[in-house]
Amino acid sequence: MGEAAGVPLRAVSYNIHSQRDDTAALAAVVRAVRPDVVIVQEGPRRFRWRQKSATLAESFGLVVAAGGLPALGNLLLTSLRVQVVGTRCQRFPLTPGRHLRGAAYADCRVADARFTLAGSHLSTDPAERPAQAAEFKRGLDAATTPVLAGADLNEGPDGPAWATVSSGLTDAAVAADAADRLTYSCADPRRRIDALFVDPRITVVDYDVVDTPQTRRASDHFPVLVDLLLPTTG
């Protein structure tokens, strides 16, 4: 059998804990894996968010594609290898007394492949999550190119919100036989609440939850690192 064909892409999904931890370690962690795209949760969303987002991207050796305040802290970053051809942001309905949340989307091209990059961060409230998951799923289903979605779902694979978001998509951890790799918390890893889902047309080549002394200093979540092959448009 020959090797799977496609355009290689390296993706990271990472809850960066609002940059409240060791920011030098955070930048070093991302730079070390040389990603093409990074899906950030808990990115800048308040005063001077544009400048802060650009500074964060620069520290990773990347540029801002979409997100920030309009997506309530969900931020999409890309390398210069990736061309962004369209962006949009989504805000979920607000539950009184809870945090406003949303999602970010970027339509991208790399070499002969097109894909939609997406990211979200669902509520810590189990009563609120299913409706947010449904809103995020509607955004994913509206994509016209193969989807690559990273999210902090705040629940494990047995939860209803997870089931909603993952429906019809490939869980990269499952595809790589690595669903036992836990993502939260760095201090006491006990849950897999961070995930990267891809269109079935996208091949999962490799998957890792990066657990090192540096990642334990950088955030309270471990980054999810995935190598993919994107289908070409030809």
Side-chain angles (χ1 to χ4, degrees):
M1 293 179 63
E3 294 185 358
V7 176
L9 188 86
R10 173 165 282 192
V12 169
S13 186
Y14 203 174
N15 183 321
I16 64 171
H17 201 207
S18 300
Q19 297 173 264
R20 288 181 287 189
D21 302 299
D22 186 332
T23 55
L26 178 67
V29 164
V30 176
R31 281 183 174 269
V33 298
R34 300 177 64 85
D36 295 299
V37 298
V38 178
I39 304 163
V40 174
Q41 299 91 43
E42 293 195 26
R45 59 176 286 177
R46 294 185 176 87
F47 181 64
R48 295 172 55 235
W49 66 270
R50 288 185 180 85
Q51 180 179 339
K52 291 176 181 177
S53 296
T55 299
L56 176 68
E58 184 179 20
S59 77
F60 291 168
L62 303 171
V63 296
V64 174
L69 175 62
L72 289 314
N74 296 290
L75 187 64
L76 306 179
L77 310 177
T78 67
S79 72
L80 295 180
R81 177 174 175 252
V82 177
Q83 180 185 0
V84 178
V85 297
T87 66
R88 55 197 177 278
C89 292
Q90 179 183 24
R91 292 190 173 192
F92 304 147
L94 175 63
T95 300
R98 304 295 302 175
H99 292 297
L100 190 60
R101 295 180 184 268
Y105 304 85
D107 299 317
C108 302
R109 178 189 295 124
V110 57
D112 293 327
R114 290 176 177 265
F115 66 100
T116 297
L117 188 66
S120 189
H121 183 190
L122 302 188
S123 175
T124 57
D125 181 357
E128 190 178 23
R129 277 197 300 271
Q132 293 181 350
E135 290 288 333
F136 184 38
K137 185 62 172 176
R138 276 191 280 273
L140 297 177
D141 289 346
T144 58
T145 55
V147 165
L148 165 55
D152 173 357
L153 298 165
N154 266 313
E155 69 179 31
D158 57 344
W162 187 296
T164 295
V165 174
S166 64
S167 177
L169 299 174
T170 299
D171 181 338
V174 173
D177 195 23
D180 60 338
R181 301 293 304 279
L182 307 178
T183 65
Y184 181 83
S185 71
C186 291
D188 179 22
R190 61 191 184 277
R191 305 173 69 196
R192 183 165 80 94
I193 63 174
D194 305 274
L196 202 148
F197 305 108
V198 298
D199 184 287
R201 291 170 288 180
I202 297 175
T203 301
V204 178
V205 177
D206 199 11
Y207 174 96
D208 192 19
V209 174
V210 186
D211 180 354
T212 66
Q214 206 165 40
T215 58
R216 287 175 180 256
R217 295 197 307 273
S219 177
D220 61 342
H221 291 245
F222 294 120
V224 173
L225 171 66
V226 184
D227 284 307
L228 304 165
L229 286 175
L230 305 176
T232 60
T233 55

